Amino acid sequence: VREIGKTLSAEPAIQGVSAMTGAIGAGMAEEAGGGPLEQTVAGLAGSIVPSAAALRFAPIPGTSVKAPVPIMAERAAQAVGRGGASREQVARNLEAFRGAGTTPSAGQVTESGVLQGLESTMGRVPGSIDIMRAKSISQQAEIGGKVKQIADELSSIKEPVIVGQRIQKGIQDVFYPAVRARESALYNKLDNYLPLSTPVSSQNVYSTLKSMTGEIAGAPALSQSQLLVSPELRGLTQALESDMIDSAGNIPFSVLKGLRTKIGEKLNSVSLGANVTQGQYKRLYSALSDDLMNAAQRAGPRATASLKRANQFSRLMHDRFEKLQAFIDKNEPEKVFNSAFQGAEAGPSRIYAMMRSLPKEDQKSVVSAFVAKMGRALPGSQDAGGDIFSTERFLTNWNKLSPGAKSELFGRFGTKFKDDMDKIARTAELIREGSRVLANPSGTAGAVVGPATYASVAGSIAAGKYGFATGILSAGLLSNLGSRLFTSPRYVEWLAKNIDAPPNAVPGAIASLVSIAENTDDKDLADIAKKLKDEEIAR
């Protein structure tokens, strides 16, 4: 106490400031849970902070180590233009944060390793922990609100169960019947060149059926077993034989075309027959297609060209049905929704097939539900309502999508929607690359560092190491100022405009900051403007 008194007596001009810093020091100790003794010690130590402001390094008694006095605001001012992004990139970063519904910190917008390091440090120094953590929490909440707004504007339906039902219904009840009708119309054009009563060969399909239902040599009883031969295929073979109009195996063109249509419906059915495999239906369909092509070729080039157009359409639809069938026949709607995005990191084929098979409103509900889930924090980081948003989680899910999948999901609802999603992803990336404190506001570091710091201050004063105690408390106080500046939207915008200002433009940049501080009555900006001005004069 005597040493502190000597310091204050030697510098009477700073006693007014000492009263303020002493009160701040005591308040910091109280916030950390310190008792009356700890608050008194911190208050006394805080009173000598101003006297150390002009020092650069203070030796730690008993060691050869020198502890830097906390001139963090000055160092931050010097580091403003060092490294990081160009002015154009900083402007784009600032626009990305605005588009994501929030404001960046100085380190995030400039991508400066120096400033990001300072922010990480301030996120662990008493006096600024709460400020940095509050900034992180507000960023996550604001971006989460923007994501919710984007999802809501697209569709009010976002529950995976409901969306899964709409996927099933949209494909089964809307898309599939429309495609079948289009396919039938294309094949019906053959009637203009090939009358329905024209005899045509059924050789390929009949041979295929016989190979599927033929008897096993020497085992007539086993050949009748339903475990080895499908009753449906055996019945189909017998019916085809009955409909043949001559011994050569010819049937009316109408029968051949109708049979192919029915087999196609079975092949693309969501619930395939239990006794006939998809592979067997494919073999039958292929054989019928060969018989149909043979008939068209005999009818002439126009019939052949018409059939080729119909076959091409049918082939494309069958390929799509095959992709859809991999997940559309799942029982639970939520499983249908989740399965729709499986494999999206490798390519967009499943998403492509699904999205282009749904009505526009159902497409919107699918994307809205997916966007709403992208940033939902993991259960261990959630609140009771499950509404906590995480940019880290959003970015992880974003990066799981291939470029093609992103295009399919986000590129079909206008440029504004796509731009908004890109800005949120860019913002999440900048937050990840910047201060880890802002990326993950757990607060655990502060819970450990705070009490340890106050204990160090008390121990240093008790041991007579006043310079070291002064340095620790100065760090907390100046870190508090730095954190308020680095998270101030006004300061960040000024920084973005002047990040790479040439030497002859520095006075004007500082003057603009002074003007902003005066117009907004922002004392923090006024303090940093003065520090920058002093640095410029010194140089």
Side-chain angles (χ1 to χ4, degrees):
V1 174
R2 282 196 300 271
E3 293 299 322
I4 293 173
K6 290 178 182 178
T7 302
L8 297 179
S9 298
E11 302 285 348
I14 65 171
Q15 290 183 23
V17 180
S18 297
M20 178 187 69
T21 56
I24 293 175
M28 289 166 60
E30 182 181 9
E31 289 178 6
L37 176 61
E38 288 84 354
Q39 293 176 36
T40 301
V41 172
L44 289 172
S47 297
I48 66 172
V49 166
S51 67
L55 299 177
R56 291 301 183 268
F57 287 87
I60 300 176
T63 73
S64 60
V65 179
K66 290 184 177 182
V69 299
I71 49 174
M72 186 173 293
E74 180 178 341
R75 290 291 178 256
Q78 294 173 352
V80 162
R82 297 180 189 169
S86 65
R87 183 184 301 190
E88 292 75 17
Q89 185 58 50
V90 169
R92 286 194 291 270
N93 292 345
L94 188 58
E95 179 59 28
F97 274 87
R98 287 172 177 165
T102 189
T103 58
S105 70
Q108 290 169 342
V109 77
T110 63
E111 299 182 70
S112 166
V114 175
L115 299 187
Q116 291 172 355
L118 284 170
E119 288 180 357
S120 293
T121 300
M122 289 187 289
R124 292 166 173 81
V125 175
S128 56
I129 292 174
D130 290 342
I131 294 174
M132 301 302 290
R133 186 169 185 270
K135 177 63 176 177
S136 177
I137 292 173
S138 67
Q139 275 187 339
Q140 299 293 320
E142 288 162 358
I143 297 173
K146 180 64 175 180
V147 170
K148 184 178 184 302
Q149 176 190 337
I150 291 172
D152 287 343
E153 289 176 352
L154 197 60
S155 175
S156 61
I157 302 171
K158 290 183 286 296
E159 287 299 321
V161 173
I162 299 176
V163 175
Q165 291 172 343
R166 291 176 73 100
I167 292 174
Q168 289 175 316
K169 184 176 179 61
I171 292 174
Q172 294 175 0
D173 298 348
V174 180
F175 175 70
Y176 182 72
V179 166
R180 297 303 299 172
R182 172 63 177 161
E183 186 180 39
S184 295
L186 288 173
Y187 280 112
N188 286 340
K189 288 185 177 181
L190 274 174
D191 299 348
N192 297 327
Y193 315 106
L194 199 61
L196 294 176
S197 60
T198 304
V200 295
S201 173
S202 63
Q203 178 182 357
N204 286 296
V205 67
Y206 184 64
S207 298
T208 300
L209 281 170
K210 291 297 287 185
S211 68
M212 292 179 179
T213 60
E215 291 188 358
I216 301 173
L222 282 175
S223 299
Q224 299 301 314
S225 173
Q226 294 185 8
L227 294 175
L228 298 178
V229 179
S230 166
E232 287 87 346
L233 292 179
R234 186 180 291 114
L236 185 60
T237 304
Q238 295 170 353
L240 181 59
E241 290 173 340
S242 298
D243 288 334
M244 290 179 180
I245 57 178
D246 55 35
S247 58
N250 290 323
I251 57 175
F253 170 65
S254 61
V255 175
L256 180 65
K257 189 174 73 167
L259 179 58
R260 185 177 183 273
T261 298
K262 293 296 183 181
I263 296 298
E265 291 175 352
K266 288 289 186 178
L267 179 61
N268 296 315
S269 175
V270 173
S271 54
L272 297 177
N275 294 320
V276 183
T277 67
Q278 188 179 31
Q280 289 172 321
Y281 277 130
K282 283 184 176 181
R283 288 181 61 191
L284 288 176
Y285 192 85
S286 177
L288 285 163
S289 297
D290 290 341
D291 285 335
L292 200 58
M293 180 57 71
N294 290 336
Q297 288 174 342
R298 283 194 291 270
R302 290 186 177 182
T304 302
S306 178
L307 180 59
K308 284 182 177 179
R309 285 194 296 271
N311 283 343
Q312 183 179 15
F313 178 85
S314 182
R315 183 168 56 254
L316 292 174
M317 290 304 100
H318 288 171
D319 290 343
R320 185 181 297 187
F321 289 146
E322 193 168 321
K323 290 183 176 69
L324 294 173
Q325 194 171 349
F327 71 94
I328 197 64
D329 60 349
K330 296 181 181 296
N331 295 325
E332 297 86 351
E334 59 269 29
K335 288 185 178 180
V336 172
F337 175 80
N338 292 330
S339 296
F341 303 97
Q342 289 179 0
E345 67 278 2
S349 57
R350 180 174 290 189
I351 293 176
Y352 177 95
M354 175 190 66
M355 294 296 284
R356 302 200 176 196
S357 304
L358 293 175
K360 194 73 171 181
E361 289 306 310
D362 289 345
Q363 293 178 23
K364 290 181 177 180
S365 66
V366 169
V367 176
S368 178
F370 183 75
V371 170
K373 288 184 61 178
M374 283 181 73
R376 190 168 296 166
L378 293 172
S381 303
Q382 274 294 353
D383 59 6
D387 297 323
I388 297 296
F389 181 86
S390 167
T391 53
E392 182 68 23
R393 185 68 177 164
F394 180 94
L395 190 59
T396 297
N397 286 324
W398 174 271
N399 290 332
K400 286 182 179 179
L401 297 173
S402 68
K406 290 174 186 174
S407 178
E408 282 299 316
L409 288 172
F410 310 130
R412 57 179 58 245
F413 304 117
T415 56
K416 182 180 182 302
F417 178 79
K418 185 178 184 302
D419 289 346
D420 285 343
M421 294 300 297
D422 287 340
K423 286 175 181 177
I424 291 171
R426 175 59 179 159
T427 300
E429 181 181 12
L430 289 169
I431 291 175
R432 172 187 283 182
E433 293 176 351
S435 166
R436 301 306 301 174
V437 173
L438 289 171
N440 182 24
S442 65
T444 53
V448 175
V449 174
T453 302
Y454 299 125
S456 297
V457 171
S460 299
I461 293 176
K465 300 176 181 179
Y466 303 109
F468 189 55
T470 297
I472 294 175
L473 281 177
S474 297
L477 295 171
L478 292 176
S479 178
N480 179 276
L481 170 62
S483 62
R484 282 184 280 130
L485 284 170
F486 283 17
T487 58
S488 165
R490 296 191 189 101
Y491 177 67
V492 169
E493 289 207 22
W494 173 85
L495 192 62
K497 294 176 182 178
N498 298 280
I499 185 67
D500 55 0
N504 61 357
V506 170
I510 297 174
S512 71
L513 185 61
V514 172
S515 177
I516 294 172
E518 290 176 350
N519 292 336
T520 59
D521 195 26
D522 193 322
K523 294 182 179 180
D524 293 338
L525 290 185
D527 287 345
I528 196 65
K530 183 178 184 303
K531 178 63 66 176
L532 285 166
K533 190 173 183 179
D534 291 344
E535 280 292 312
E536 181 61 25
I537 292 172
R539 292 187 183 196

